[in-house]
Amino acid sequence: MGEMDLMSKGDLAQSVELAAEVLTKHLAGVPRLAVTLGSGWDELVDESRVESAVDFKDIPGFPIPTVEGHRGRVLKVITESGHILVQDGRIHCYEGLSSLEVSFPVFAYARCGVKALVMLSAAGGLNPLYIPGDLMIVRDHIFLFGDNPLEGLKLDGYPSVHVNLSGIYKTEWQEALKSALPSGVRCEHGVYAYVKGPTYETDAEAAFLRMAGADAVGMSSIPEAMCAAFLGLEVAMMCCISNTLLPSRALGLSHEEVLKVTRNRAQSIRGYLDSLAAQACALL
């Protein structure tokens, strides 16, 4: 089991139960805080602190990542403030999956008792003040393109799909993410625009998104954030600005460069998961 067929919304509840059973068994219990590591953020994982792990391929319903830098593991990690769940690698819609399929892990985590989801990702900078290596804590997002993961979802025991996403990224969680950073790290609060990918934006698209109010643009996380809000989880998100699109596009933009910049930044804040867990303890 592992690679799933295109999931019908009617099969979701049963698939969630199966995935939750496997996670609970392999991890010997699931912590309340889940952290998803996107492109380049795998450098935060200290393997000596991994207490237990399970591969995506062994979890019913979890798609298998096909993109470099996404190992596809769920880890139970020991921090100075207790255990946290870490998703080492994520899945993207541009890999041929629906928004619901890439968000499936969030449903499984919620069923296991997770109460908060923190997502770390890479993004292209639209704000002309940003430089590669900067961090941006998401205060709001723009989701105008792609399929909504909640579309057509009608499940017994689940809340209404008409979720109010205004204020989804609560101020106290934004501050928690920032307070966990070492002093001196460049970090801003901004708006993240979601695009499906896998192609990078044209000059006109980048200018359009900037005019719409976006400070950064990326190809992940927002479907998961929407599902987390639907499920009643606390949601927080931080991006590494891996490249800049405005005022001028950097030459040689590639996934390899995105990984390099983000990994360098992650290496510079090793120990962040410890600090983040400590901050989250005060909020959960």
Side-chain angles (χ1 to χ4, degrees), residues 123 125-130 134-141 169-181 185-193 210 213-217 235-241 272:
L126 298 172
N127 189 318
L129 298 179
Y130 291 177
D134 281 354
L135 296 175
M136 187 192 87
I137 293 169
V138 175
R139 62 175 178 82
D140 207 345
H141 73 241
Y169 307 100
K170 293 180 180 177
T171 302
E172 56 265 36
W173 278 94
Q174 293 182 48
E175 293 306 318
L177 265 61
K178 191 166 187 176
S179 296
L181 291 169
V185 174
R186 284 174 54 101
C187 181
E188 302 292 339
H189 295 256
V191 176
Y192 177 99
R210 180 57 182 160
D215 296 289
V217 56
V235 185
M237 180 178 170
M238 183 170 71
C239 308
C240 175
I241 303 301
Y272 183 70

Side-chain angles (χ1 to χ4, degrees), residues 2 151 201:
E151 182 181 353
E201 296 69 40

Side-chain angles (χ1 to χ4, degrees), residues 183-240:
S183 61
V185 174
R186 284 174 54 101
C187 181
E188 302 292 339
H189 295 256
V191 176
Y192 177 99
Y194 169 81
V195 295
K196 183 177 179 180
T199 53
Y200 295 108
E201 296 69 40
T202 67
D203 293 341
E205 288 167 344
F208 168 76
L209 292 171
R210 180 57 182 160
M211 286 190 292
D215 296 289
V217 56
M219 305 173 189
S220 71
S221 302
I222 303 308
E224 296 100 298
M226 296 163 72
C227 289
F230 166 70
L231 294 165
L233 275 60
E234 302 289 352
V235 185
M237 180 178 170
M238 183 170 71
C239 308
C240 175

Side-chain angles (χ1 to χ4, degrees), residues 27-35 37 44-53 73-87 270-278 281:
L27 301 181
V30 176
R32 293 185 297 170
L33 173 65
V35 181
L37 304 180
L44 288 183
V45 177
D46 179 351
E47 294 294 335
S48 69
R49 307 281 289 278
V50 176
E51 182 175 281
S52 52
R73 306 183 297 166
V74 180
L75 315 174
K76 189 176 182 180
V77 176
I78 304 168
T79 75
E80 296 173 356
S81 301
H83 292 94
I84 63 173
L85 182 148
V86 174
Q87 180 179 310
R270 291 294 291 267
Y272 183 70
L273 293 180
D274 277 313
S275 300
L276 177 62
C281 278

